[in-house]
Amino acid sequence: MRLVNHEHNAVDLRTTPVHLGLGSRAKPVEGFAWDPEVLQAYSAAVAVDGAEGRMVMIFDGEGLGDHWESHPAGDELVVCLSGSVTVTRDVNGVPDRVLLGPGEATINPAGIWHVVDMEGPTSILSITASLGTDHRPRTETRPTECVGTPDPEEAP
């Protein structure tokens, strides 16, 4: 995994996220993967940006999300590019659902647990705080009823 300076070619946001950092810099994250070692390397590489760093990525999929997540360091923007997506937030134990169609967006406030369900083939773009995303398996209705999974830094 490495941050690329001055990329002049097209970047596929489905496989290569872009990190937005201090000084309005945008750097593709070459070799990114949802692997604890890669996530740890990414966190170390962007640590200087602190809570201002953001990851921009496109996700394609369908069906129910398999985990709840929370971004304590900042808000997350979720944009539906195609299909239909329901974002459910746990706001003080009450589900808050937002249905998005193409071109529509919602903001998940910092620290709020949320899950994303894609209705049929769907594509979303997310702009997410780089620091400290927490995940919990979706085994229950609410994230507070689930057992937490370790952050990449805590993984063995």
Side-chain angles (χ1 to χ4, degrees):
M1 188 293 313
R2 71 182 185 96
L3 298 177
V4 179
N5 288 312
H6 308 294
E7 177 63 57
H8 298 288
N9 297 314
V11 175
D12 183 350
L13 289 174
R14 289 168 176 82
T15 58
T16 305
V18 170
H19 176 78
L20 304 178
L22 295 177
S24 298
R25 290 194 205 105
K27 296 181 179 184
V29 184
E30 188 176 83
F32 183 81
W34 296 106
D35 171 79
E37 288 181 24
V38 173
L39 291 170
Q40 214 167 18
Y42 171 71
S43 293
V46 302
V48 68
D49 295 328
E52 299 305 313
R54 297 288 182 267
M55 178 184 279
V56 180
M57 190 166 205
I58 291 176
F59 297 92
D60 296 321
E62 61 182 293
L64 299 178
D66 63 355
H67 66 277
W68 288 88
E69 63 182 36
S70 173
H71 313 286
D75 297 344
E76 174 185 52
L77 177 68
V78 177
V79 181
C80 180
L81 300 175
S82 65
S84 178
V85 61
T86 300
V87 177
T88 303
R89 300 179 191 100
D90 181 352
V91 180
N92 298 320
V94 178
D96 173 32
R97 291 182 181 83
V98 179
L99 177 63
L100 303 175
E104 296 179 321
T106 191
I107 297 169
N108 292 318
I112 296 293
W113 287 97
H114 56 277
V115 65
V116 175
D117 297 324
M118 298 178 175
E119 323 280 330
T122 299
S123 184
I124 63 171
L125 174 119
S126 70
I127 303 174
T128 307
S130 301
L131 289 181
T133 294
D134 295 318
H135 292 95
R136 292 187 175 156
R138 189 176 184 175
T139 56
E140 299 290 336
T141 309
R142 294 187 51 219
T144 53
E145 296 171 353
C146 302
V147 177
T149 55
D151 286 332
E153 295 81 20
E154 298 172 2

